[in-house]
Amino acid sequence: EDSQITYEEGMFKAHPGKENHPVVEVTWYGAAFYCNMLSEKEGLTPLYNLDDWSCQVYGKEGYRLPTEAEWEYAASYDDNRDFPWGNNEPTDKIANIKRKAKKPEIVETVAVGSYSPEGDSKLGISDLAGNVSEWCNDWYNDFYAGGSQVIDPVGPGKSLYLYLPFFNKYTSARTLRGGCFLQDSDHRKGMGRPFIMDTVIHPNVYHNQFRSYDYLSRQVIGFRVVKTTVNDKTQDAFSGPDK
């Protein structure tokens, strides 16, 4: 129910009125699989290897999730602005942000582009901050590969493991960017990790350089896709668990 999607007559359908809202309650793997299906639909190369979930980031034409460096580049282009729309502090007049949770499962997304053009980035991209947090292609690590001088970094390998008390195990996580509609310091506060998340409780979550992570599906997480193209100067580049 949180996903805002039903399965009827052999088809997945958005709830009435939610057709143009971002998808939520999707795992990183579900988002990557969608990218492969979109590539196949258009006769392009599926970029994700479903055996180990590695990705051909550059070198083939197809769809994938943005690298963390690409996401930040798109949000801060070309003046290193603090937020996608500029340097003014975020308000609910320019982005779908800072809503309180009446119930943990409530979804308060809005149609994509509802705050356009006021909330758009310099490149004209809408909803880079607020609405839903967005999966990036990268595994999460303490460092951000885009902070170096490397051109188009594909991100670290599967090198940082986080302990989940509830599941009594360690796991890797994927990077999130952009914040979401919800900001509530009390949201699931007593449940501990992995149920509370920085994307919901941190005051700086809408800043272009704020990094978060997750390993589950949530009602506040969605994704956007990028389409890679190639030319005679494009070199193959891959991301993978052992990179």
Side-chain angles (χ1 to χ4, degrees):
E1 189 69 20
D2 295 354
S3 68
Q4 305 185 106
I5 295 174
T6 57
Y7 186 73
E8 300 175 0
E9 300 175 352
M11 296 180 62
F12 290 100
K13 298 179 181 179
H15 289 182
K18 301 293 185 178
E19 293 84 357
N20 294 320
H21 287 227
V23 67
V24 294
E25 286 287 3
V26 59
T27 65
W28 182 92
Y29 300 99
F33 185 77
Y34 173 87
C35 292
N36 270 12
M37 295 300 99
L38 187 59
S39 294
E40 289 191 2
K41 182 179 179 181
E42 296 190 8
L44 305 176
T45 302
L47 300 180
Y48 289 96
N49 181 334
L50 302 188
D51 291 331
D52 63 0
W53 296 98
S54 58
C55 178
Q56 181 160 4
V57 179
Y58 300 113
K60 297 289 185 181
E61 192 168 301
Y63 290 93
R64 60 168 170 78
L65 299 171
T67 66
E68 188 175 10
E70 288 170 340
W71 191 98
E72 185 169 308
Y73 180 86
S76 60
Y77 179 87
D78 59 348
D79 50 15
N80 201 32
R81 55 185 56 195
D82 291 336
F83 307 98
W85 51 81
N87 295 319
N88 295 329
E89 290 294 317
T91 71
D92 59 6
K93 303 298 182 184
I94 53 177
N96 183 25
I97 61 174
K98 299 185 177 181
R99 296 178 183 265
K100 294 288 185 178
K102 301 179 181 69
K103 294 181 179 179
E105 68 275 10
I106 292 295
V107 179
E108 295 193 18
T109 55
V110 296
V112 172
S114 294
Y115 292 85
S116 181
E118 290 81 3
D120 292 352
S121 73
K122 193 171 183 179
L123 293 174
I125 304 172
S126 62
D127 299 322
L128 279 169
N131 221 9
V132 292
S133 300
E134 300 175 6
W135 289 118
C136 292
N137 190 61
D138 302 25
W139 269 279
Y140 181 85
N141 210 313
D142 288 337
F143 67 88
Y144 164 48
S148 68
Q149 297 303 309
V150 178
I151 297 175
D152 295 333
V154 297
K158 198 174 182 180
S159 54
L160 179 66
Y161 287 81
L162 306 158
Y163 180 64
L164 308 184
F166 183 84
F167 299 110
N168 191 28
K169 69 175 185 178
Y170 286 88
T171 188
S172 57
R174 296 285 183 167
T175 301
L176 288 173
R177 287 290 192 127
C180 62
F181 62 84
L182 180 62
Q183 190 175 43
D184 187 349
S185 59
D186 295 323
H187 182 70
R188 294 182 173 173
K189 186 176 181 180
M191 298 180 69
R193 296 195 180 277
F195 300 103
I196 62 169
M197 54 188 299
D198 291 342
T199 296
V200 168
I201 66 175
H202 202 287
N204 296 326
V205 70
Y206 307 111
H207 196 283
N208 285 342
Q209 295 181 344
F210 183 84
R211 308 175 66 235
S212 187
Y213 60 86
D214 213 326
Y215 20 71
L216 302 171
S217 64
R218 315 269 189 166
Q219 88 275 27
V220 294
I221 296 177
F223 67 98
R224 70 176 70 227
V225 302
V226 299
K227 182 181 181 181
T228 59
T229 58
V230 296
N231 57 41
D232 57 3
K233 295 182 180 179
T234 304
Q235 296 183 356
D236 288 350
F238 297 84
S239 67
D242 302 318
K243 176 185 172 293

